[in-house]
Amino acid sequence: MHAYDLLVVGSANADLVIGVERRPAPGETVLGSDLAVHPGGKGANQAVAAARLGARTALLARVGDDAHGRLLLESQRAAGVDTAGVLVGGAPTGVALITVDPSGDNSIVVSPGANARLLPADVRAAGSLLAAARVVSVQLEIPLETVAEVVRGMAPGARLVLNPSPPAPLPAEVLAACDPLVVNEHEALTILGEQPPGASPEDWARSLLALGPRSVVVTLGAAGALVMDSRTDSGVRVPSPRVDAVDTTGAGDAFTAALAWRLSLGEELPPAAALAVRVGAAAVTTRGAQDSYPTAAEL
Ligand code: RIB
């Protein structure tokens, strides 16, 4: 019996958000809105999104012993996430500087802070958390060697969901464990390098599968998502509901969390992605990352 549907291993950031009419060009200064401070970080966002949907969720992360760290712990606890694995201290809490334009698009710069101090030894010390999770979800705002240690420490039969964000070259052992690798267009093209003109998301997914993952999910924004499984080699498109985007920050995290949760319940990839696109769509309709995540009832 697993104690957790989902263990998220990843970053926790304070999101410092400013709305702007347009994002500045190099060398340019623009004036923006009042500053808003939200709990964020790809790992913390995923954990909150999954717990809101009803997943039994734990987070393995590191925050600083400071006000931002307390903000993050509070938001996790309010969502019902098990925070026994959230380590405190070693560096200031990670910070993300975010500008959001009127179309809801954002630009983000992350100062990793304590996230960079989540080390392989911390993963080894959290062996009981890893052993208790059906699905483990990771992203790349923590050190790559920590991600690799997660892969090595996973319980037999547990499933790895990886969103390589921000994208970086991945070791073969990590790629081979992904089921699925979840990428957006930017992440897919960064990992694959230049693609032939006219290459489709199906082509990207096939090329990504050739790198070793057992399955691949390509998120396509308003167009939904594409899933492809190496065991069937067929691609399935999953459309998204139409919504008015206010702020896309954290929508990908909500998508991945929902997908990971449904996979932990034994659902196949296409129906899991169909629910995940609805969660991702709901997440763009409200400002902030975690504040915008729906409960199962709201969905
Ligand atoms: O994916 C959105 C997240 O990216 C933000 O919450 C920010 O903290 C950055 O990590």
Side-chain angles (χ1 to χ4, degrees):
M1 176 61 187
H2 293 88
Y4 304 109
D5 302 315
L6 180 63
L7 169 66
V8 181
V9 185
S11 58
N13 298 327
D15 287 355
L16 310 188
V17 186
I18 301 180
V20 289
E21 275 308 308
R22 59 183 179 78
R23 285 170 284 157
E28 189 185 17
T29 301
V30 299
L31 295 179
S33 69
D34 286 349
L35 176 73
V37 182
H38 300 290
K42 295 180 196 305
N45 290 349
Q46 285 193 10
V48 165
R52 285 242 178 105
L53 289 168
R56 296 170 305 156
T57 310
L59 175 66
L60 175 56
R62 185 178 284 278
V63 296
D65 185 7
D66 51 30
H68 287 158
R70 289 186 281 281
L71 171 78
L72 282 149
L73 277 165
E74 176 49 36
S75 72
Q76 294 294 314
R77 289 177 184 141
V81 176
D82 185 330
T83 57
V86 180
L87 306 166
V88 178
T93 299
V95 168
L97 302 180
I98 304 178
T99 50
V100 182
D101 72 16
S103 76
D105 280 340
N106 60 47
S107 299
I108 304 180
V109 178
V110 172
S111 167
N115 298 304
R117 275 73 165 187
L118 186 70
L119 299 176
D122 297 324
V123 175
R124 289 192 288 277
S128 59
L129 275 182
L130 273 170
R134 278 179 205 283
V135 171
V136 179
S137 183
V138 288
Q139 326 76 38
L140 298 187
E141 288 183 337
I142 56 173
L144 202 47
E145 60 265 29
T146 304
V147 172
E149 192 65 27
V150 169
V151 171
R152 287 180 213 121
M154 280 172 48
R159 189 164 181 165
L160 180 76
V161 175
L162 171 65
N163 171 222
S165 180
L170 292 167
E173 69 169 324
V174 172
L175 277 166
C178 296
D179 193 12
L181 179 76
V182 181
V183 290
N184 63 20
E185 175 177 349
H186 165 73
E187 291 148 9
L189 295 178
T190 304
I191 291 171
L192 291 172
E194 199 173 332
Q195 292 297 290
S200 66
E202 280 76 4
D203 297 324
W204 308 337
R206 258 179 233 108
S207 301
L208 287 166
L209 279 182
L211 300 177
R214 295 176 204 175
S215 56
V216 167
V217 175
V218 183
T219 59
L220 302 168
L226 164 73
V227 309
M228 198 177 279
D229 195 314
S230 63
R231 287 153 288 211
T232 58
D233 209 26
S234 60
V236 178
R237 290 260 187 163
V238 179
S240 169
R242 277 174 175 272
V243 289
D244 287 329
V246 172
D247 182 358
T248 58
T249 309
D253 305 329
F255 173 94
T256 304
L259 182 84
W261 169 52
R262 299 308 295 189
L263 293 176
S264 80
L265 302 182
E267 207 159 74
E268 295 294 326
L269 207 43
L275 180 110
V277 293
R278 289 171 54 209
V279 174
V284 305
T285 59
T286 313
R287 286 188 204 292
Q290 297 175 17
D291 294 344
S292 66
Y293 295 161
T295 62
E298 286 164 350
L299 205 60

